[in-house]
Amino acid sequence: MMELCSYEELVEFIHNSFIEFTKASFYLQEEFKKENIDNNINIDEWFINKYKTNLISLNKLLFNLNKNLHSLSIHEDKTIYTNHYFEIPVYFPSDNYLELDYSTRFSSIHDKTNDISYTINNKISPEFSLLMFNHLRILYPQHTIDDNNFTPFDVLFNAITDYGLTSQTNVLSSTFDEIFTLKITTKKSKTLQEFQKLANAFLFQIMLKCNVPCEYYSNLTSLLGIYNNNKSKKQNLNTLSTTPQRIYRDHIIDYYSLALSSNEPFAQYLSYYHVLEYFFDEVFNQHLRKQFQDKITSPYFDNKDDKELDKVINFIKKETRNCKESGQGNELESLKLVLIKFIEIDDLQEKLTPEQIKYYQQHKITFSSAQTISFKDEKIFYAHLAQRIYQTCNALVHSKEGNVGRYKPYQDNEELQKEIPLIKLVAEQVIINSSTPL
């Protein structure tokens, strides 16, 4: 973790950034020329004298904010938190995540039952803004920081242009106005790990309700570069009206987010499939344990009867052989068991349109030779659904010439696209039904 700058270092860095902006601003340069007819002062001195009162106010603000920042805990240089407050930057990698209308660029919801408040918007806290200036100061101490001649003062350009040099608070907070942060406030004391689980749950809520991907930043470079490369067209976060009520398994939400962030059905399908695959070993092993327990606890089982013992031995051999052949047990059977455990037929049908249900009932998948699905007969529904998903996935990942089931990009793209609503809903049910109440 990086060490925070001292108050003096921050003041120097931000003042210099303002001065660099002054040198680059045509308007301020013209103003400087008019007020410095005798050429007896340089632009640095002129700026400091002209905005002396504002700079004094800014220094006071920086002093208090820096004091506050040092009192907070910082995780991985990107998250600030206390026992009752948590703030983490998030981003929307899709090209259609939020409407540009500022009235829809936020969501704020309070969970009355658990007394937890969630807010996500591009109004980062002053302390978080100062943390970003810390990183700029430490990472990029020189004026030029890349091959494009980018300088630290560039991040202030839009904010100063919008608010002028007289509104220090707005300038500091608006400097990073393309960064969205999730803020969580709780009445009860929470650990960092508990806050992280709440954050994961809230992001899944956004993805589920708004149908947009939402991710955490993996590094500071991408976080500090957001104002350069994340201009996108947008979705309305105001449609989110409920707080998370469940905690989800680690990692599987990442697969779900990856699927939403892609415009390519090939990547979408495999990412949703990975949500299901995550549970293969767990559910398959549970099934084996139950089968084994049923055999050795059966009233017909006699541990002194060699024939009965041979039946158990043969069962173990058979399942061990299956595991060796497939790598982790019978994958198709594992998928079927996952579907049986987590998927409710009625819920799935309710969320599919009548047209979609009719399509899956009547149309096989040409490129994977996957069969139709019978929604009316529960006994064969799970087998049909598992086969359709499994054979489609195999056709995507195996491209050997001569394979009966082989996906051909572009040619089969439209047909695969029709399978996305089904695998997406299945993945969502697995995520939700494998979660635990908050």
Side-chain angles (χ1 to χ4, degrees):
M1 175 180 159
M2 295 184 182
E3 292 185 6
L4 295 176
C5 299
S6 67
Y7 162 70
E8 291 77 15
E9 289 172 328
L10 280 173
V11 167
E12 180 185 15
F13 175 72
I14 294 177
H15 281 202
N16 286 341
S17 296
F18 279 128
I19 292 173
E20 290 298 322
F21 171 80
T22 305
K23 294 177 181 178
S25 168
F26 175 79
Y27 170 76
L28 288 177
Q29 285 190 45
E30 289 299 306
E31 189 176 352
F32 166 67
K33 291 177 182 177
K34 291 179 182 178
E35 296 183 12
N36 188 37
I37 299 176
D38 298 332
N39 293 318
N40 58 355
I41 189 174
N42 61 41
I43 196 169
D44 296 22
E45 294 175 296
W46 171 82
F47 172 82
I48 292 173
N49 290 332
K50 182 175 181 64
Y51 294 99
K52 183 177 181 180
T53 302
N54 304 108
L55 292 175
I56 291 174
S57 298
L58 175 63
N59 291 350
K60 291 180 179 179
L61 175 64
L62 290 174
F63 180 83
N64 291 327
L65 289 180
N66 195 54
K67 185 178 179 181
N68 293 343
L69 181 59
H70 278 76
S71 69
L72 300 173
S73 296
I74 302 174
H75 177 65
E76 294 184 345
D77 298 318
K78 302 184 293 293
T79 305
I80 58 176
Y81 66 99
T82 66
N83 290 335
H84 301 276
Y85 179 79
F86 177 88
E87 183 173 6
I88 186 170
V90 297
Y91 79 102
F92 303 84
S94 175
D95 285 339
N96 56 357
Y97 71 97
L98 291 171
E99 293 179 357
L100 288 175
D101 181 358
Y102 277 88
S103 65
T104 64
R105 299 187 75 179
F106 72 93
S107 179
S108 185
I109 305 175
H110 182 69
D111 179 354
K112 294 181 180 179
T113 303
N114 297 292
D115 208 355
I116 303 174
S117 294
Y118 302 84
T119 300
I120 185 168
N121 58 26
N122 64 329
K123 301 296 182 184
I124 64 178
S125 68
E127 289 77 13
F128 191 88
S129 179
L130 197 63
L131 177 63
M132 295 299 97
F133 276 111
N134 266 272
H135 293 326
L136 283 175
R137 165 66 178 76
I138 294 171
L139 291 173
Y140 312 125
Q142 305 301 320
H143 288 313
T144 300
I145 62 175
D146 63 20
D147 294 336
N148 297 319
N149 203 36
F150 177 79
T151 58
F153 85 88
D154 288 339
V155 302
L156 288 165
F157 185 89
N158 290 333
I160 298 175
T161 301
D162 291 339
Y163 294 101
L165 294 170
T166 58
S167 178
Q168 294 83 24
T169 303
N170 282 333
V171 166
L172 290 179
S173 61
S174 299
T175 296
F176 304 98
D177 65 358
E178 289 298 327
I179 295 179
F180 279 70
T181 60
L182 168 61
K183 307 172 189 69
I184 304 176
T185 305
T186 63
K187 186 174 182 180
K188 291 183 180 179
S189 178
K190 299 287 183 183
T191 64
L192 172 62
Q193 291 71 29
E194 289 173 324
F195 271 122
Q196 289 172 327
K197 289 183 180 296
L198 291 174
N200 286 339
F202 187 80
L203 293 194
F204 178 67
Q205 196 84 348
I206 286 179
M207 292 187 285
L208 183 68
K209 296 291 186 179
C210 300
N211 201 41
V212 292
C214 188
E215 301 177 11
Y216 300 115
Y217 286 92
S218 59
N219 54 64
L220 285 175
T221 302
S222 58
L223 173 59
L224 293 170
I226 185 173
Y227 39 77
N228 287 330
N229 56 27
N230 202 28
K231 307 287 186 181
S232 307
K233 69 177 188 184
K234 323 305 162 188
Q235 180 61 272
N236 188 350
L237 286 183
N238 283 339
T239 57
L240 192 65
S241 59
T242 56
T243 59
Q245 298 299 313
R246 305 186 71 83
I247 295 296
Y248 305 97
R249 295 287 193 97
D250 293 336
H251 308 304
I252 57 175
I253 290 178
D254 293 337
Y255 297 133
Y256 184 82
S257 177
L258 183 61
L260 285 181
S261 68
S262 176
N263 293 320
E264 171 55 53
F266 179 93
Q268 292 174 346
Y269 199 96
L270 291 180
S271 295
Y272 287 131
Y273 183 84
H274 286 152
V275 173
L276 317 184
E277 190 178 41
Y278 180 88
F279 294 94
F280 280 9
D281 281 351
E282 176 183 323
V283 175
F284 190 77
N285 289 340
Q286 287 175 352
H287 177 68
L288 288 183
R289 284 195 295 268
K290 185 179 185 306
Q291 282 189 303
F292 183 75
Q293 288 172 347
D294 288 346
K295 290 182 182 298
I296 64 175
T297 59
S298 169
Y300 298 108
F301 178 76
D302 183 357
N303 60 12
K304 295 180 181 179
D305 186 338
D306 287 344
K307 290 185 177 179
E308 291 297 319
L309 290 172
D310 285 341
K311 289 181 180 178
V312 174
I313 292 172
N314 289 334
F315 166 76
I316 295 174
K317 284 182 177 179
K318 177 184 175 183
E319 298 304 330
T320 301
R321 184 168 58 252
N322 287 339
C323 289
K324 288 181 178 179
E325 290 174 355
S326 64
Q328 59 170 12
N330 187 306
E331 192 166 78
L332 177 57
E333 180 64 15
S334 297
L335 174 58
K336 179 181 174 183
L337 292 171
V338 168
L339 298 176
I340 291 173
K341 182 171 183 177
F342 296 122
I343 303 303
E344 296 288 339
I345 300 179
D346 292 341
D347 288 347
L348 192 63
Q349 283 186 283
E350 184 181 332
K351 291 179 172 61
L352 289 169
T353 66
E355 292 78 13
Q356 289 171 334
I357 293 175
K358 183 178 180 180
Y359 176 83
Y360 298 134
Q361 285 177 326
Q362 298 180 356
H363 291 82
K364 294 183 178 181
I365 303 176
T366 306
F367 67 84
S368 65
S369 301
Q371 68 175 58
T372 57
I373 301 173
S374 173
F375 286 87
K376 296 179 180 179
D377 189 344
E378 184 173 342
K379 292 182 180 179
I380 61 175
F381 166 79
Y382 292 104
H384 285 182
L385 179 60
Q387 288 171 2
R388 191 175 183 101
I389 293 174
Y390 180 73
Q391 289 176 225
T392 301
C393 182
N394 274 349
L396 296 182
V397 298
H398 299 302
S399 59
K400 290 182 181 179
E401 185 176 356
N403 278 5
V404 176
R406 182 163 62 94
Y407 175 75
K408 295 173 284 297
Y410 306 114
Q411 180 178 329
D412 298 324
N413 187 74
E414 184 176 348
E415 189 175 23
L416 177 60
Q417 184 68 59
K418 294 178 181 179
E419 298 302 308
I420 299 302
L422 177 63
I423 188 72
K424 180 176 183 286
L425 286 174
V426 169
E428 288 173 355
Q429 282 202 19
V430 170
I431 292 172
I432 294 170
N433 293 332
S434 65
S435 63
T436 54
L438 179 61

